[in-house]
Amino acid sequence: MPDVAAELRDDVLERFLRYVRIDTTSDQDSETYPSTAKQRDLGEVLERELRELGLDDVELTEHGYVFATLPGSAGPTVGLIAHMDTSQDESGTNVQPQVVRNYDGKDIVLPGDPQKILRIDENPILAARAGHDIVTTDGTTLLGADDKAGVAEIMGAVAYLAAHPEIEHAPIRVGFTVDEEVGRGVDHFDIEAFGADFAYTLDGAEVGRIDDETFSASEVRIRIEGLSVHPGTSKDKMVNAIKLGARLLERLPKDRSPETTEEREGFVHPTRFTGTTAEAELRFIARDFDAEKLAQHEQLLRDLADAVGKEEPRARVSVTVEESYRNMKEFLDTDPTVTKAADEAARRCGIEPWREPIRGGTDGAMLSARGLLTPNMYTGGQQFHSVLEWASVQDMATSAATIVELAKLWAEPEWASRSSSGTGVRTPASRG
Ligand SMILES: [Zn+2]
């Protein structure tokens, strides 16, 4: 492990264990922003800690975001972003992290539920971490490494840079977001006010993996209005919206679903079916790396809705399509230096970077589309959204060290001048 990572390790672990104990589950069905008030509990802790570190412009906003500035000596302003909320797929209440020191490379039985076992035959990445310190849950909750590993690494990196004023680095803007897991992470994110020239989300997994490509995504809703009549006297009158919805679902092609696709294949996926005899609503997500294919998935749903509507003209069937996010690669390709700098920072930490398209989205996908180029970087967390979630302490330290290297690299004139984002080399900012 490189020296910087070794130096960061204890601090990043301590922060991580502190943050994961704070319940920040977001809520898909909430109408408020942030979706759950408890996300602010972590926001308040981070706000206080950033002030204690001596960062400037520390702010917990009305929407629950945490922002701060670490002035630098030269170069563009680099944004570092992670999300504070955790997925509602598993409980995030009363998280009890366990640290398995100097891991022996065998199966790990989680202490709160002996049925929950991290098995090395299902987990080659874990098997390769013998000798590391591994953080797991007790088996009854998720861990929340997604994305508190990213939060702890950014905090560890800026704490390190703040404590080492002799290290030349670019100005940094820290941004901790809410509600990423419910797809609303950057709804109120003010890019102008954030003021970074480009940014990185720390929200990936395996060390070395740097993401510049996400799905393009849309949400499709199909509304079916039937006709409700008392079932005792409904012969030749009733039009049951539930049955029409079921008919439509039954016709979905089997080879275009999440259960049957991988790698670069897209899919359509029903996520919710609600209704009564009188009216029903089907919600779908459509995903593809290719914009044209995504449009075909949307058209498929329109066609299925049309067919059901034609078969039962007494029903009214309507379709709405809403874009969720777009593959960020088309935006990131306008300034490849931003992603290449992340590659170079990884190499300076002894890691050979690699790519794999994300079968999902990131806050960075939405920010990139809105003009703030934001590739995604590894955090060392694994098996997100699960009670089997885990993270290697050494990997988290390597991720934090990568951030330090990235901040240093962007202060070097040869890097700053290669980027077309922002203004390149700037007048040196004051060192607060
Ligand atoms: Zn995440």
Side-chain angles (χ1 to χ4, degrees), residues 83 85 146-147 180-181 203-204 384-385:
H83 65 89
D85 66 313
D146 179 10
D147 184 23
E180 192 270 353
E181 297 290 0
D203 193 16
F384 292 164
H385 302 192

Side-chain angles (χ1 to χ4, degrees), residues 29 43 86 120 130 158 194 246 302 311 366 368:
D29 294 318
T86 60
I120 52 165
V158 296
F194 188 53
R302 283 199 187 91
E311 287 160 21
M366 284 176 254
S368 297

